[in-house]
Amino acid sequence: MTQQFRPPSVPLVTVDPYFSVWSAADHLYDDHTVHWTNKRNSMVGIIMVDGKPRRFMGKVEMASNTEYEEPAALIQKSLKVDPLTSTYIFEGEGIELEVSFSTPLLLDDLDLLSRPVSYVTFRVHSSDGNPHDVKIYFDVSSELCVNTPDQKVIWSRKGINDNIVSMCMGTEEQPILKRVGDDTRIDWGYCYLAAPQSSSLKTVIHSYNVRKQFVKTGQLLNEDNDQQPQSAIGETPVMAAVLDIGEIHENQSSHYLLLAYDDIHSIEYFEKHLDAYWRRNGQTFDEMLVSAVEQYEEIQKRCEEFNHKLINDSKSAGGEKYKDMLSLAYRQAIAAHKLVIDENGDVLFLSKENFSNGCVATVDVSYPSIPLFLYYNPEFVKAMMRPIFRYAATEEWKFNFAPHDVGCYPKANGQVYGENELENQMPIEECGNMLIMAASVCIYENNANFAKENWVLLTDWANYLKENGLDPDNQLCTDDFAGHLAHNANLSIKAILGIGAYSIMCNMLEEKDEEVYYQMAKEMASQWVKMAGVEDHYKLTFDSTPETWSLKYNLVWDRLFGLHLFPEEIVEQEIPFYISNQNKFGTPLDSRNTYTKSDWLVWCASMAKSKEDFEQMITPLWDFLNETPSRVPFTDWYDTVTGKQINFQNRSVVGGLFIKLLNSFETDDVARQLIASNINLRSSFGL
């Protein structure tokens, strides 16, 4: 097998925080497929070539106390993870099999992005010049629709039209939107396996032993299992399909299946149940599946074109290894959210804080993720912020700073973080985040209406930073795992840039206080330099000893916004210092520990003046992904010495890796475009 980049876990099905299946192995057939939480979500693929069964995905046996001998596997030749598609190529028995998993998460098409469908495409041809008789078996287990395997499921066939065959499974109990938490899986709604109708297609719903039946005979059982509810323990039910392709030659034969999930209701939002965005005009699940089949060719073409463009853009911006990281991060960053609309028709894009605490719409998870969404469609950043603005404006929110979250996924009914006690909050962090995010939307859309809609709260938070931001008292920041910290130099940068961001929005809205806030931020930045600076770097805290340091990742917005509040010399000093403190797998977050955050590492790297320095900073991150023994979806918190995950996986924050692409916007030029649009930035902005 030849493989340049070995992801720690490969995205297969990436729709939302619940419908999410991965392969945490070097080869697709090495182990069972899993949910992003690494709980088993078994799917199996077997190809019958001239009567010989060969596995290409998963394992046949599901019981742990058996000596069942798995059928031999084809040889996996390669794996390629593109932004929207993961493609495996296998060979053996005179044939070559290509299996691709694609989820069309195109940020310019909200209907398509929210559609809960992934495609599995099989392409097979003779590689030895001889004809071969081929059948492909594929199944999906009931584990995809339960939180724990002891939950009982029911199943059925769903008649849609004469052109589509579909089967579905779901729990007998159907506790819609009842389960709240982090390490959880969906246990309501229905998982579907569907395909275009054809004479070569056979399907059955039965015990997983149907896999063994196919291995022995090349046939499926004739009838579905009886309708007695069955748990996913023991005789685990599966939905199985066989594509009887027949004789193949050197020309490629192509076929596909659809994996889909009807979650019925998606989010509880301030006590109201909201449906997925794609349902907003009354489209039924059956109608959605029909569209997904009818548009298959068009969708695959669009995915291919998008993959090609993002790959080229990322290689141009940051090199081959940067391309690999963005390709792995893209689907994860989007599918850690759910896209819905509220009763007013406003779009909401609600993240789940995966393997952290399960919070929904967390501000300091949204903040690091926004580069991806700013680059492709700033509407998603607004959709992340709307729940926070709504909650902060209610009487339930008792503080004069921005909230941390609006609940625990999938219930967005109000903040749960820190039991809402003052000492457990992140006041500077969240105010700065909300101001920077709001300004980024205004700048990248060249329109400040979104800020105007939320001006009272933004003004309150800017004033909070004016009063409290320069020298933060003992409090948490987004890196809350490191504990409380007073006089945090990097948090101070966030406060200063939050005020600067507010001054930009003042200018765009022709508010008279623009100059006041800009000059305030400028003066605070000047004081910051004196308080944090030592000979060759800047300290962790203002009162710490000179040898302390930290990644000053918040500085990146000074350049992207064209504010120029801080001297360029800071970055010119810090980047070489970060490189000099690298361990095998990257620069630590700060001088207190050897762990780091992948998003902040790339933010700092993106400030490097040379491509060589950028690549020198991100190469250890690529090495980590390629070598880590922690086989989980892209973690953003890991140890730079051992290469082991500390915590967090499958979080949306990997959208932050796209920040290097924002440099191609040449944001100072964006600011100048604002001038051309009769929004006159003052000379104090350095333009």
Side-chain angles (χ1 to χ4, degrees):
M1 173 184 170
T2 58
Q3 184 176 335
Q4 290 186 322
F5 177 56
R6 184 228 66 175
S9 192
V10 180
L12 305 178
V13 177
T14 51
V15 172
D16 59 36
Y18 287 133
F19 194 30
S20 180
V21 186
W22 298 67
S23 173
D26 288 350
H27 307 93
L28 188 57
Y29 44 72
D30 282 347
D31 206 347
H32 294 282
T33 56
V34 294
H35 186 258
W36 69 258
T37 56
N38 270 28
K39 297 297 191 299
R40 192 170 68 183
N41 267 195
S42 176
M43 304 191 304
V44 162
I46 303 166
I47 187 168
M48 190 73 74
V49 183
D50 300 327
K52 297 177 182 178
R54 295 291 182 262
R55 276 183 308 123
F56 61 84
M57 179 174 70
K59 289 190 172 183
V60 170
E61 184 57 68
M62 297 187 71
S64 57
N65 58 349
T66 180
E67 296 182 0
Y68 176 78
E69 184 176 349
E70 294 286 333
L74 292 178
I75 297 171
Q76 183 175 311
K77 287 178 58 181
S78 66
L79 161 64
K80 185 182 181 187
V81 176
D82 289 334
L84 294 173
T85 311
S86 298
T87 303
Y88 293 86
I89 295 179
F90 307 90
E91 67 175 4
E93 305 301 331
I95 62 98
E96 183 175 272
L97 171 67
E98 178 184 297
V99 183
S100 66
F101 299 83
S102 60
T103 309
L105 302 179
L106 295 166
L107 288 163
D108 63 348
D109 189 334
L110 275 63
D111 276 301
L112 183 58
L113 179 142
S114 71
R115 187 184 287 175
V117 173
S118 277
Y119 298 95
V120 188
T121 300
F122 309 98
R123 298 180 179 91
V124 61
H125 70 274
S126 171
S127 58
D128 63 3
N130 298 317
H132 296 280
D133 187 73
V134 167
K135 295 178 181 178
I136 292 176
Y137 171 98
F138 184 94
D139 78 33
V140 176
S141 82
S142 57
E143 291 173 332
L144 272 71
C145 57
V146 298
N147 178 53
T148 55
D150 59 323
Q151 292 180 288
K152 291 185 176 181
V153 299
I154 57 175
W155 52 87
S156 67
R157 292 177 175 274
K158 191 74 179 292
I160 297 177
N161 61 26
D162 293 338
N163 299 318
I164 299 175
V165 175
S166 74
M167 304 170 283
C168 65
M169 281 185 178
T171 58
E172 180 184 30
E173 185 182 6
Q174 288 295 308
I176 298 173
L177 292 172
K178 297 297 185 185
R179 187 175 302 281
V180 174
D182 186 15
D183 187 2
T184 60
R185 289 140 299 279
I186 195 167
D187 57 1
W188 71 87
Y190 299 91
C191 182
Y192 281 71
L193 177 60
Q197 176 69 275
S198 74
S199 59
S200 65
L201 177 69
K202 300 290 187 295
T203 62
V204 71
I205 308 171
H206 219 283
S207 155
Y208 82 93
N209 287 309
V210 71
R211 300 169 177 175
K212 299 176 182 178
Q213 168 83 9
F214 181 78
V215 169
K216 286 181 180 179
T217 68
Q219 303 295 326
L220 290 179
L221 297 169
N222 291 328
E223 294 182 2
D224 293 349
N225 208 343
D226 61 44
Q227 269 299 312
Q228 295 300 314
Q230 171 68 49
S231 76
I233 298 175
E235 300 296 303
T236 308
V238 302
M239 299 180 289
V242 169
L243 296 163
D244 189 349
I245 297 171
E247 190 172 274
I248 63 161
H249 301 272
E250 293 182 4
N251 293 331
Q252 197 173 72
S253 179
S254 180
H255 307 265
Y256 72 94
L257 301 171
L258 295 86
L259 302 175
Y261 207 102
D262 182 2
D263 64 3
I264 304 173
H265 299 303
S266 300
I267 294 289
E268 184 173 298
Y269 189 65
F270 297 104
E271 311 300 335
K272 293 185 178 181
H273 288 185
L274 301 185
D275 296 339
Y277 178 87
W278 65 268
R279 292 187 190 268
R280 73 195 186 287
N281 294 324
Q283 187 179 40
T284 67
F285 194 84
D286 289 358
E287 290 168 343
M288 182 277 299
L289 274 183
V290 170
S291 296
V293 170
E294 291 177 345
Q295 297 167 7
Y296 169 78
E297 296 290 348
E298 173 197 347
I299 288 169
Q300 295 302 308
K301 181 180 179 182
R302 291 176 65 185
C303 288
E304 184 178 343
E305 290 171 349
F306 180 85
N307 287 339
H308 181 74
K309 186 174 190 314
L310 177 51
I311 286 168
N312 285 342
D313 289 348
S314 53
K315 279 166 54 174
S316 176
E320 284 284 340
K321 292 179 178 177
Y322 186 56
K323 174 265 294 181
D324 288 339
M325 289 189 283
L326 295 198
S327 293
L328 181 61
Y330 183 86
R331 274 173 283 169
Q332 173 175 315
I334 298 170
H337 298 82
K338 191 68 178 181
L339 187 68
V340 298
I341 60 169
D342 66 14
E343 65 272 22
N344 300 317
D346 289 326
V347 180
L348 310 175
F349 196 47
L350 295 148
S351 64
K352 181 177 182 184
E353 195 169 346
N354 291 333
F355 260 37
S356 176
N357 60 11
C359 279
V360 61
T362 303
V363 175
D364 56 282
V365 167
S366 295
Y367 169 70
S369 78
I370 64 171
L372 166 63
F373 303 104
L374 288 174
Y375 189 70
Y376 286 108
N377 188 349
E379 179 61 36
F380 285 92
V381 181
K382 293 189 284 188
M384 294 177 200
M385 299 176 70
R386 287 184 180 115
I388 300 296
F389 282 127
R390 174 166 174 169
Y391 177 60
T394 67
E395 293 181 358
E396 283 73 23
W397 182 243
K398 58 186 177 181
F399 302 115
N400 60 340
F401 50 79
H404 168 272
D405 63 81
V406 295
C408 188
Y409 198 93
K411 293 182 181 290
N413 295 323
Q415 177 170 300
V416 297
Y417 185 79
E419 298 178 340
N420 288 334
E421 296 298 326
L422 177 60
E423 62 270 22
N424 298 327
Q425 301 308 306
M426 303 181 188
I428 303 297
E429 174 72 36
E430 310 303 16
C431 288
N433 289 340
M434 289 296 285
L435 287 161
I436 291 170
M437 287 194 289
S440 71
V441 167
C442 296
I443 290 173
Y444 286 95
E445 284 196 328
N446 193 1
N447 187 313
N449 286 342
F450 183 67
K452 187 175 182 179
E453 293 167 9
N454 301 286
W455 196 243
V456 172
L457 285 170
L458 291 171
T459 301
D460 288 346
W461 297 337
N463 288 332
Y464 185 91
L465 295 181
K466 276 178 62 179
E467 296 169 10
N468 303 283
L470 175 60
D471 189 5
D473 60 14
N474 193 39
Q475 63 188 271
L476 296 170
C477 70
T478 183
D479 307 313
D480 55 354
F481 47 80
H484 285 68
L485 192 64
H487 318 296
N488 185 334
N490 188 47
L491 189 58
S492 175
I493 292 172
K494 179 167 286 181
I496 295 166
L497 289 171
I499 296 167
Y502 181 77
S503 74
I504 292 175
M505 292 184 285
C506 283
N507 178 273
M508 295 180 74
L509 292 171
E510 299 182 353
E511 293 283 339
K512 62 181 184 301
D513 291 333
E514 173 251 324
E515 187 69 20
V516 172
Y517 284 92
Y518 180 80
Q519 291 299 342
M520 171 66 72
K522 192 77 172 173
E523 174 57 29
M524 291 169 72
S526 178
Q527 293 181 60
W528 185 95
V529 173
K530 297 173 184 176
M531 296 161 66
V534 290
E535 184 176 345
D536 61 347
H537 69 281
Y538 294 81
K539 296 185 292 183
L540 170 66
T541 66
F542 298 135
D543 63 341
S544 60
T545 55
E547 64 271 15
T548 65
W549 55 273
S550 63
L551 296 179
K552 306 300 190 300
Y553 52 83
N554 287 313
L555 267 176
V556 71
W557 297 104
D558 196 32
R559 175 182 298 179
L560 289 174
F561 285 174
L563 282 166
H564 308 296
L565 296 171
F566 292 87
E568 285 288 323
E569 292 75 24
I570 296 177
V571 172
E572 292 171 2
Q573 280 187 304
E574 288 281 287
I575 297 298
F577 187 82
Y578 300 155
I579 292 172
S580 71
N581 280 277
Q582 276 185 340
N583 293 320
K584 180 180 180 181
F585 296 114
T587 305
L589 182 65
D590 59 49
S591 52
R592 294 173 292 175
N593 210 309
T594 57
Y595 56 61
T596 197
K597 288 279 271 87
S598 56
D599 43 356
W600 304 145
L601 196 62
V602 177
W603 282 31
C604 289
S606 73
M607 293 187 281
K609 290 292 182 68
S610 70
K611 188 174 182 180
E612 292 73 23
D613 283 350
F614 174 80
E615 292 182 344
Q616 192 169 351
M617 283 198 69
I618 69 161
T619 292
L621 173 56
W622 188 94
D623 292 339
F624 157 73
L625 293 167
N626 200 52
E627 300 175 27
T628 177
S630 303
R631 305 307 296 267
V632 299
F634 202 145
T635 178
D636 53 292
W637 183 20
Y638 69 92
D639 189 87
T640 61
V641 174
T642 66
K644 293 181 179 179
Q645 172 199 29
I646 303 296
N647 204 349
F648 306 160
Q649 62 200 49
N650 193 49
R651 299 212 304 168
S652 63
V653 302
V654 296
L657 274 65
F658 287 73
I659 200 159
K660 180 69 172 171
L661 296 184
L662 291 184
N663 288 344
S664 67
F665 274 46
E666 296 295 343
T667 310
D668 279 346
D669 289 341
V670 172
R672 292 187 177 96
Q673 290 171 18
L674 296 179
I675 295 175
S677 302
N678 298 316
I679 302 172
N680 297 311
L681 295 179
R682 299 187 180 167
S683 59
S684 61
F685 278 63
L687 300 175

PDB file of all heavy atoms in Angstrom, residues 312-327:
ATOM      1  N   ASN A 312      -6.002  22.953  -4.737  1.00  0.00           N
ATOM      2  CA  ASN A 312      -5.069  23.874  -5.391  1.00  0.00           C
ATOM      3  C   ASN A 312      -4.850  25.140  -4.567  1.00  0.00           C
ATOM      4  O   ASN A 312      -3.715  25.619  -4.431  1.00  0.00           O
ATOM      5  CB  ASN A 312      -5.580  24.243  -6.786  1.00  0.00           C
ATOM      6  CG  ASN A 312      -5.404  23.120  -7.784  1.00  0.00           C
ATOM      7  OD1 ASN A 312      -4.627  22.193  -7.564  1.00  0.00           O
ATOM      8  ND2 ASN A 312      -6.139  23.176  -8.882  1.00  0.00           N
ATOM      9  N   ASP A 313      -5.936  25.684  -3.998  1.00  0.00           N
ATOM     10  CA  ASP A 313      -5.815  26.895  -3.184  1.00  0.00           C
ATOM     11  C   ASP A 313      -4.952  26.651  -1.952  1.00  0.00           C
ATOM     12  O   ASP A 313      -4.110  27.482  -1.593  1.00  0.00           O
ATOM     13  CB  ASP A 313      -7.198  27.385  -2.742  1.00  0.00           C
ATOM     14  CG  ASP A 313      -8.005  27.971  -3.899  1.00  0.00           C
ATOM     15  OD1 ASP A 313      -7.441  28.200  -4.976  1.00  0.00           O
ATOM     16  OD2 ASP A 313      -9.220  28.185  -3.701  1.00  0.00           O
ATOM     17  N   SER A 314      -5.165  25.525  -1.298  1.00  0.00           N
ATOM     18  CA  SER A 314      -4.419  25.256  -0.068  1.00  0.00           C
ATOM     19  C   SER A 314      -2.961  24.936  -0.353  1.00  0.00           C
ATOM     20  O   SER A 314      -2.079  25.337   0.400  1.00  0.00           O
ATOM     21  CB  SER A 314      -5.092  24.132   0.728  1.00  0.00           C
ATOM     22  OG  SER A 314      -5.306  22.983  -0.064  1.00  0.00           O
ATOM     23  N   LYS A 315      -2.698  24.234  -1.449  1.00  0.00           N
ATOM     24  CA  LYS A 315      -1.298  23.973  -1.823  1.00  0.00           C
ATOM     25  C   LYS A 315      -0.583  25.270  -2.154  1.00  0.00           C
ATOM     26  O   LYS A 315       0.565  25.489  -1.763  1.00  0.00           O
ATOM     27  CB  LYS A 315      -1.246  23.027  -3.018  1.00  0.00           C
ATOM     28  CG  LYS A 315      -1.427  21.572  -2.639  1.00  0.00           C
ATOM     29  CD  LYS A 315      -1.703  20.671  -3.821  1.00  0.00           C
ATOM     30  CE  LYS A 315      -0.703  20.763  -4.930  1.00  0.00           C
ATOM     31  NZ  LYS A 315      -0.962  19.761  -5.986  1.00  0.00           N
ATOM     32  N   SER A 316      -1.282  26.158  -2.862  1.00  0.00           N
ATOM     33  CA  SER A 316      -0.681  27.442  -3.225  1.00  0.00           C
ATOM     34  C   SER A 316      -0.411  28.291  -1.994  1.00  0.00           C
ATOM     35  O   SER A 316       0.630  28.958  -1.900  1.00  0.00           O
ATOM     36  CB  SER A 316      -1.608  28.181  -4.186  1.00  0.00           C
ATOM     37  OG  SER A 316      -1.115  29.470  -4.486  1.00  0.00           O
ATOM     38  N   ALA A 317      -1.317  28.257  -1.033  1.00  0.00           N
ATOM     39  CA  ALA A 317      -1.177  29.091   0.160  1.00  0.00           C
ATOM     40  C   ALA A 317      -0.148  28.553   1.134  1.00  0.00           C
ATOM     41  O   ALA A 317       0.585  29.324   1.755  1.00  0.00           O
ATOM     42  CB  ALA A 317      -2.531  29.220   0.863  1.00  0.00           C
ATOM     43  N   GLY A 318      -0.094  27.217   1.294  1.00  0.00           N
ATOM     44  CA  GLY A 318       0.736  26.688   2.372  1.00  0.00           C
ATOM     45  C   GLY A 318       1.497  25.421   2.091  1.00  0.00           C
ATOM     46  O   GLY A 318       2.146  24.894   2.999  1.00  0.00           O
ATOM     47  N   GLY A 319       1.405  24.884   0.879  1.00  0.00           N
ATOM     48  CA  GLY A 319       2.173  23.694   0.550  1.00  0.00           C
ATOM     49  C   GLY A 319       1.384  22.399   0.683  1.00  0.00           C
ATOM     50  O   GLY A 319       0.216  22.375   1.072  1.00  0.00           O
ATOM     51  N   GLU A 320       2.046  21.295   0.346  1.00  0.00           N
ATOM     52  CA  GLU A 320       1.418  19.978   0.313  1.00  0.00           C
ATOM     53  C   GLU A 320       0.861  19.561   1.663  1.00  0.00           C
ATOM     54  O   GLU A 320      -0.239  19.013   1.757  1.00  0.00           O
ATOM     55  CB  GLU A 320       2.428  18.931  -0.172  1.00  0.00           C
ATOM     56  CG  GLU A 320       2.697  18.957  -1.668  1.00  0.00           C
ATOM     57  CD  GLU A 320       1.561  18.333  -2.467  1.00  0.00           C
ATOM     58  OE1 GLU A 320       0.768  17.568  -1.881  1.00  0.00           O
ATOM     59  OE2 GLU A 320       1.476  18.610  -3.675  1.00  0.00           O
ATOM     60  N   LYS A 321       1.607  19.791   2.727  1.00  0.00           N
ATOM     61  CA  LYS A 321       1.162  19.329   4.038  1.00  0.00           C
ATOM     62  C   LYS A 321      -0.017  20.163   4.536  1.00  0.00           C
ATOM     63  O   LYS A 321      -0.918  19.635   5.202  1.00  0.00           O
ATOM     64  CB  LYS A 321       2.332  19.345   5.023  1.00  0.00           C
ATOM     65  CG  LYS A 321       3.381  18.294   4.673  1.00  0.00           C
ATOM     66  CD  LYS A 321       4.567  18.282   5.611  1.00  0.00           C
ATOM     67  CE  LYS A 321       5.520  17.169   5.213  1.00  0.00           C
ATOM     68  NZ  LYS A 321       6.745  17.128   6.044  1.00  0.00           N
ATOM     69  N   TYR A 322      -0.013  21.423   4.201  1.00  0.00           N
ATOM     70  CA  TYR A 322      -1.166  22.261   4.544  1.00  0.00           C
ATOM     71  C   TYR A 322      -2.399  21.767   3.803  1.00  0.00           C
ATOM     72  O   TYR A 322      -3.493  21.680   4.375  1.00  0.00           O
ATOM     73  CB  TYR A 322      -0.862  23.712   4.184  1.00  0.00           C
ATOM     74  CG  TYR A 322      -1.911  24.708   4.628  1.00  0.00           C
ATOM     75  CD1 TYR A 322      -2.297  24.801   5.956  1.00  0.00           C
ATOM     76  CD2 TYR A 322      -2.499  25.580   3.710  1.00  0.00           C
ATOM     77  CE1 TYR A 322      -3.250  25.725   6.370  1.00  0.00           C
ATOM     78  CE2 TYR A 322      -3.440  26.514   4.108  1.00  0.00           C
ATOM     79  CZ  TYR A 322      -3.824  26.576   5.435  1.00  0.00           C
ATOM     80  OH  TYR A 322      -4.765  27.491   5.840  1.00  0.00           O
ATOM     81  N   LYS A 323      -2.231  21.381   2.559  1.00  0.00           N
ATOM     82  CA  LYS A 323      -3.334  20.825   1.765  1.00  0.00           C
ATOM     83  C   LYS A 323      -3.901  19.579   2.426  1.00  0.00           C
ATOM     84  O   LYS A 323      -5.119  19.410   2.526  1.00  0.00           O
ATOM     85  CB  LYS A 323      -2.848  20.513   0.347  1.00  0.00           C
ATOM     86  CG  LYS A 323      -3.858  19.795  -0.539  1.00  0.00           C
ATOM     87  CD  LYS A 323      -3.698  18.285  -0.544  1.00  0.00           C
ATOM     88  CE  LYS A 323      -2.394  17.860  -1.167  1.00  0.00           C
ATOM     89  NZ  LYS A 323      -2.248  16.383  -1.194  1.00  0.00           N
ATOM     90  N   ASP A 324      -3.032  18.700   2.904  1.00  0.00           N
ATOM     91  CA  ASP A 324      -3.498  17.478   3.567  1.00  0.00           C
ATOM     92  C   ASP A 324      -4.339  17.797   4.799  1.00  0.00           C
ATOM     93  O   ASP A 324      -5.376  17.173   5.050  1.00  0.00           O
ATOM     94  CB  ASP A 324      -2.306  16.616   3.987  1.00  0.00           C
ATOM     95  CG  ASP A 324      -1.603  15.962   2.812  1.00  0.00           C
ATOM     96  OD1 ASP A 324      -2.226  15.825   1.742  1.00  0.00           O
ATOM     97  OD2 ASP A 324      -0.418  15.588   2.960  1.00  0.00           O
ATOM     98  N   MET A 325      -3.891  18.776   5.575  1.00  0.00           N
ATOM     99  CA  MET A 325      -4.594  19.116   6.811  1.00  0.00           C
ATOM    100  C   MET A 325      -5.956  19.750   6.530  1.00  0.00           C
ATOM    101  O   MET A 325      -6.945  19.437   7.197  1.00  0.00           O
ATOM    102  CB  MET A 325      -3.724  20.031   7.673  1.00  0.00           C
ATOM    103  CG  MET A 325      -2.531  19.311   8.273  1.00  0.00           C
ATOM    104  SD  MET A 325      -1.633  20.289   9.481  1.00  0.00           S
ATOM    105  CE  MET A 325      -0.718  21.390   8.412  1.00  0.00           C
ATOM    106  N   LEU A 326      -6.030  20.637   5.554  1.00  0.00           N
ATOM    107  CA  LEU A 326      -7.314  21.256   5.235  1.00  0.00           C
ATOM    108  C   LEU A 326      -8.285  20.240   4.651  1.00  0.00           C
ATOM    109  O   LEU A 326      -9.488  20.295   4.930  1.00  0.00           O
ATOM    110  CB  LEU A 326      -7.127  22.422   4.261  1.00  0.00           C
ATOM    111  CG  LEU A 326      -6.347  23.635   4.758  1.00  0.00           C
ATOM    112  CD1 LEU A 326      -6.638  24.843   3.869  1.00  0.00           C
ATOM    113  CD2 LEU A 326      -6.648  23.970   6.203  1.00  0.00           C
ATOM    114  N   SER A 327      -7.771  19.311   3.854  1.00  0.00           N
ATOM    115  CA  SER A 327      -8.638  18.279   3.288  1.00  0.00           C
ATOM    116  C   SER A 327      -9.244  17.417   4.389  1.00  0.00           C
ATOM    117  O   SER A 327     -10.415  17.030   4.318  1.00  0.00           O
ATOM    118  CB  SER A 327      -7.844  17.402   2.310  1.00  0.00           C
ATOM    119  OG  SER A 327      -7.460  18.144   1.171  1.00  0.00           O
TER     120      SER A 327
END
